[in-house]
Amino acid sequence: MSAVKKGGLGRGLDALFADVPVKEPVIENKPVKATEKEETDSVKYIKIHDIMPNVNQPRKTFNEESIEELALSIKEHGIIQPIVVRKNKKGYEIVAGERRWRAAMKAELGVVPCLVRELNDEQNMLIAIIENMQREDLNPIEEAEGLKQMTDAFGMSQEQVSRSVGKSRPYITNSMRLLKLPEYIRNSISEGKLTAGHGRAIITISDEKARESIWKKIIEEGLSVRETEKLVSTEAKPKKKPLKRKKNPDVVRVEEELKTVLGTKVTINSNGNKGNIEINFYSKDELDRLIEMLKSLD
């Protein structure tokens, strides 16, 4: 943790992803005479099935069509940039380059060029997040989840996260706010049906029914972010309640007198010389009683 806070990753991934010439294959588990530095800096060819995905990979979705295209390129030209891995108990875990590894699997390669790095869990996760963000491989929700993981799992401040990923502090704050949206809206953003801008506009609506209504309208009508902001602004304006006219005190007095006589609520609605009288009843027996009482007034 201390190494991260001192800015070890904040200077970017140049050291990690430096161009390294791909040498003749060196199959893992065969004796290789090399110094520790040469072993770290050189490319090793590792059996593809000895490598597994990174459990902390922030990227959850991979475009299969894009991977198919990369697999065809790999068949033709090979893997240009080595995959970065670290050792674990079962073999190797990917630190950066899972998309290349997936494409290599489709291309049915037996071995792939790798750079082996010694990284702890924290460094492994941070590099995976930063590598994806620098290459813009994450959708807005994956990015927000990755940033939140940096603050929650490793106690990094937003300022430290900002320096590590090369994004402004407001960018980090706005990105993480998207995680407060309901799941159905987060899914729409992940699927590309809405943008992060749409999400930031919708999140200002507190009423859930209004929020869902606007979400549907954006998707059905293909509203832009600016149009959404205008719609949200209109929705946020307080609704004007109709002003209640004060009742004439004489009318109120007569209502009370009739209430006493009839034993139920009486309302007089008047408009100039016209109007009506409402007599409330709350059961059939009470209705019968009122009818008999009114008949007796003849």
Side-chain angles (χ1 to χ4, degrees):
M1 184 64 194
S2 58
V4 175
K5 287 188 175 180
K6 288 178 182 176
L9 291 175
R11 59 193 175 91
L13 301 179
D14 293 342
L16 181 62
F17 298 109
D19 291 332
V20 179
V22 179
K23 301 177 182 179
E24 289 300 314
V26 180
I27 304 301
E28 177 64 6
N29 298 326
K30 288 188 177 181
V32 179
K33 293 181 180 180
T35 65
E36 185 177 344
K37 186 176 187 308
E38 288 173 339
E39 187 74 11
T40 301
D41 293 341
S42 64
V43 173
K44 301 176 68 177
Y45 279 75
I46 298 175
K47 294 176 183 177
I48 197 165
H49 292 292
D50 288 344
I51 302 170
M52 61 194 67
N54 184 349
V55 293
N56 289 314
Q57 164 67 265
R59 187 178 181 186
K60 308 301 180 188
T61 56
F62 291 84
N63 185 297
E64 287 300 318
E65 185 178 344
S66 172
I67 290 176
E68 287 284 358
E69 291 174 356
L70 181 57
L72 291 174
S73 174
I74 287 174
K75 282 183 179 179
E76 182 72 21
H77 306 289
I79 296 180
I80 305 301
Q81 185 179 21
I83 297 168
V84 181
V85 298
R86 68 168 184 164
K87 282 188 177 182
N88 64 16
K89 292 179 181 179
K90 297 182 180 179
Y92 295 88
E93 182 182 51
I94 297 170
V95 176
E98 183 172 335
R99 181 171 168 272
R100 272 165 279 149
W101 174 76
R102 286 171 178 258
M105 292 279 281
K106 284 189 177 290
E108 299 181 344
L109 296 191
V111 294
V112 289
C114 298
L115 290 171
V116 182
R117 295 296 191 224
E118 292 184 10
L119 303 168
N120 58 33
D121 289 342
E122 178 180 340
Q123 292 169 325
N124 178 34
M125 191 196 81
L126 292 179
I127 290 170
I129 293 170
I130 294 167
E131 188 252 356
N132 277 289
M133 287 188 67
Q134 288 189 346
R135 295 179 181 178
E136 298 182 344
D137 283 341
L138 303 178
N139 68 53
I141 298 302
E142 289 174 336
E143 181 178 276
E145 288 172 342
L147 294 172
K148 190 172 188 300
Q149 206 172 3
M150 292 172 76
T151 61
D152 289 356
F154 301 114
M156 296 178 70
S157 68
Q158 288 194 13
E159 187 62 38
Q160 288 172 319
V161 173
S162 171
R163 289 198 302 270
S164 293
V165 301
K167 301 285 187 181
S168 70
R169 175 76 178 275
Y171 181 96
I172 304 299
T173 302
N174 286 327
S175 176
M176 291 172 63
R177 282 183 70 214
L178 295 177
L179 299 179
K180 295 180 180 179
L181 288 165
E183 184 178 4
Y184 65 92
I185 297 180
R186 296 200 306 271
N187 289 340
S188 293
I189 295 173
S190 295
E191 294 162 6
K193 295 176 182 177
L194 300 182
T195 68
H198 286 113
R200 286 192 293 272
I202 296 173
I203 203 170
T204 60
I205 303 172
S206 56
D207 182 78
E208 182 54 38
K209 287 185 178 179
R211 183 186 289 166
E212 185 175 356
S213 174
I214 289 178
W215 165 72
K216 287 180 179 177
K217 192 176 181 71
I218 295 169
I219 293 177
E220 290 170 1
E221 300 181 18
L223 299 182
S224 67
V225 173
R226 186 177 293 276
E227 289 170 331
T228 301
E229 289 171 345
K230 287 182 180 178
L231 183 61
V232 168
S233 176
T234 303
E235 183 66 34
K237 288 180 181 177
K239 304 289 189 296
K240 290 184 178 180
K241 294 182 179 179
L243 294 174
K244 282 188 176 181
R245 290 193 306 170
K246 284 190 176 181
K247 211 169 235 186
N248 188 307
D250 291 334
V251 174
V252 174
R253 178 178 54 77
V254 173
E255 285 178 343
E256 289 299 320
E257 288 176 357
L258 288 174
K259 178 180 177 182
T260 302
V261 172
L262 298 175
T264 188
K265 181 181 177 182
V266 177
T267 305
I268 299 174
N269 300 307
S270 63
N271 184 11
N273 295 323
K274 296 180 180 180
N276 59 68
I277 299 175
E278 295 179 6
I279 302 173
N280 289 40
F281 62 89
Y282 303 96
S283 67
K284 186 177 181 301
D285 289 341
E286 187 170 22
L287 175 60
D288 292 338
R289 178 182 68 78
L290 290 169
I291 291 172
E292 290 303 319
M293 184 178 291
L294 294 171
K295 282 182 179 179
S296 67
L297 297 176
D298 293 342

